[in-house]
Amino acid sequence: MDIAEWTSRLEDVSAGYAEVYAVDRTPDWMLLKLMEELGELSQAWLVASGRGRDRNLTEQQQHEAVAAECADVVAMALLVAHRMGVDVESAMRDKWLAWEEFHAKRRANAATTPPITLDSNAFQN
């Protein structure tokens, strides 16, 4: 399944959530919901990494909580992007994958030019 299909299915689930809980899924609500989910992921990670109360959860349950919150963050990020008219696949290709060749050459100690100007402290030892 590609990102567009995932987003379409997530949009349907999110719309159902909004119907059940009488939520107006405005762009700002969606962005705030993403931030809420990121907070929940942070909390789950603190528990799973031993830096928060274990809440009487087993190690497996802690891992499952992190996985569930990761899913929430990714889903909400896709929904926010969709609502804002962002083509996520193109944006990922342009923002992240533009660096693939650069890092491959850099690791091979070959001369290369970064796709954008780097900060003056980048790659300094």
Side-chain angles (χ1 to χ4, degrees):
M1 192 171 0
D2 66 13
I3 291 176
E5 187 176 349
W6 274 107
T7 302
S8 176
R9 293 176 69 183
L10 295 169
E11 180 64 35
D12 186 54
V13 172
S14 180
Y17 172 93
E19 292 165 6
V20 169
Y21 294 103
V23 171
D24 182 9
R25 296 180 316 137
T26 62
D28 66 319
W29 179 87
M30 295 185 88
L31 187 59
L32 290 168
K33 187 68 174 171
L34 171 58
M35 293 171 61
E36 175 191 11
E37 297 300 349
L38 188 54
E40 291 174 5
L41 172 57
S42 300
Q43 182 182 41
W45 175 247
L46 286 172
V47 170
S49 65
R51 291 175 280 177
R53 295 185 326 267
D54 68 13
R55 294 178 161 75
N56 295 318
L57 299 175
T58 66
E59 191 173 314
Q60 178 64 30
Q61 289 171 320
Q62 292 172 17
H63 177 77
E64 290 168 0
V66 169
E69 296 307 335
C70 282
D72 286 349
V73 168
V74 170
M76 286 310 303
L78 289 172
L79 291 169
V80 166
H82 175 71
R83 181 58 60 96
M84 296 180 177
V86 173
D87 178 341
V88 173
E89 289 187 49
S90 292
M92 294 291 288
R93 191 170 34 257
D94 294 346
K95 176 77 177 185
W96 282 83
L97 298 185
W99 289 92
E100 274 183 317
E101 182 180 356
F102 170 78
H103 286 299
K105 287 181 178 179
R106 182 188 56 77
R107 288 183 186 113
N109 293 318
T112 187
T113 303
I116 65 168
T117 302
L118 297 174
D119 296 337
S120 61
N121 62 349
F123 302 111
Q124 292 182 2
N125 292 328

